[in-house]
Amino acid sequence: MRKLNDEELAKISGGEAITLTAIMAILAVALVTVITYRLFTSTKGNATFPGGFKFTWD
């Protein structure tokens, strides 16, 4: 290991992890929103959730 000089320190940039996390969170929210919208606007269908919960609508 060695100490970095001022030039090398100026080239260091961070924030990639927080940016990636934010993008993934936005995509997850968008996916849940689309699924919920399609669920509530469909005229017929069924849904099965973990734990044995089943819903059917006409």
Side-chain angles (χ1 to χ4, degrees), residues 4-43:
L4 299 176
N5 62 26
D6 290 334
E7 255 181 58
E8 292 169 329
L9 287 173
K11 291 181 182 178
I12 295 175
S13 63
E16 291 88 5
I18 191 74
T19 303
L20 183 61
T21 303
I23 290 171
M24 289 180 66
I26 290 170
L27 288 174
V29 168
L31 182 64
V32 169
T33 302
V34 169
I35 290 171
T36 304
Y37 174 77
R38 297 210 23 126
L39 182 70
F40 283 113
T41 58
S42 64
T43 55

